Amino acid sequence: MAPTKTHRIFISYRSAEPDLSLGKRLFEEMTQQGHAVFMAALSLGFGDDWSPKIDDALRDCDYFLLLLSNQSAVSEMVLEEIRTAVELKKQVLPVHVVLTDPELLTYSIRALLRRFQYRNWRSDQDTPELLRELGRLLSSG
């Protein structure tokens, strides 16, 4: 069933498990709901010049869905995506993905995200509730 209002969603993740699998699942579900979802692994084609496409997707998105894990917490690229999303005043939706210690987050990331409420995801069992919550948020838009 298509949502009454569609949104453009940028999924920021690290190309490692479980981030990648969770991102793909969220991409598939939100795309099926009629939203325009960007996730580099699924949205970029062979030979694409990825940097401007990522910049365009960040600039055009309504929601910045951040999958924040131990791996992504130390990624300079993820930090730059967060910084850009905050500067562009995007609605940031942080999800702590098996983040064993929030202190692993750099000061820069913590400072950028301090005003955004986050959700925890620890296993596939948490995915249905995360999808329900995202669905409620996106439908109320």
Side-chain angles (χ1 to χ4, degrees):
M1 178 171 65
T4 55
K5 179 173 177 17
T6 60
H7 298 283
R8 294 174 308 245
I9 303 156
F10 184 103
I11 300 177
S12 177
Y13 67 101
R14 182 72 179 194
S15 292
E17 292 303 332
D19 310 38
L20 184 59
S21 293
L22 175 59
K24 286 180 178 178
R25 175 83 190 279
L26 297 172
F27 177 94
E28 290 165 1
E29 291 285 334
M30 290 186 291
T31 299
Q32 285 180 351
Q33 294 171 10
H35 300 291
V37 185
F38 179 91
M39 181 177 169
L42 301 174
S43 302
L44 296 175
F46 181 63
D48 279 349
D49 186 358
W50 58 270
S51 183
K53 290 196 181 278
I54 288 174
D55 291 343
D56 289 347
L58 264 170
R59 188 179 55 253
D60 295 340
C61 74
D62 301 309
Y63 292 93
F64 179 77
L65 180 55
L66 173 63
L67 304 183
L68 197 54
S69 64
N70 293 344
Q71 295 86 359
S72 63
V74 295
S75 168
E76 287 297 318
M77 185 170 195
V78 170
L79 173 59
E80 286 308 309
E81 288 175 352
I82 297 167
R83 185 174 285 127
T84 300
V86 170
E87 286 172 1
L88 292 171
K89 296 183 177 12
K90 301 300 178 179
Q91 177 63 51
V92 178
L93 306 172
V95 178
H96 289 186
V97 178
V98 195
L99 188 63
T100 55
D101 182 3
E103 292 300 313
L104 292 172
L105 300 176
T106 65
Y107 174 80
S108 297
I109 289 177
R110 283 185 301 200
L112 289 166
L113 297 178
R114 72 180 175 271
R115 64 188 178 104
F116 300 105
Q117 182 61 37
Y118 66 90
R119 293 295 175 257
N120 285 310
W121 183 94
R122 291 186 179 85
S123 73
D124 288 333
Q125 292 177 336
D126 296 329
T127 304
E129 180 55 32
L130 178 59
L131 284 167
R132 278 190 293 277
E133 192 161 359
L134 285 168
R136 284 192 298 269
L137 174 72
L138 295 173
S139 67
S140 67

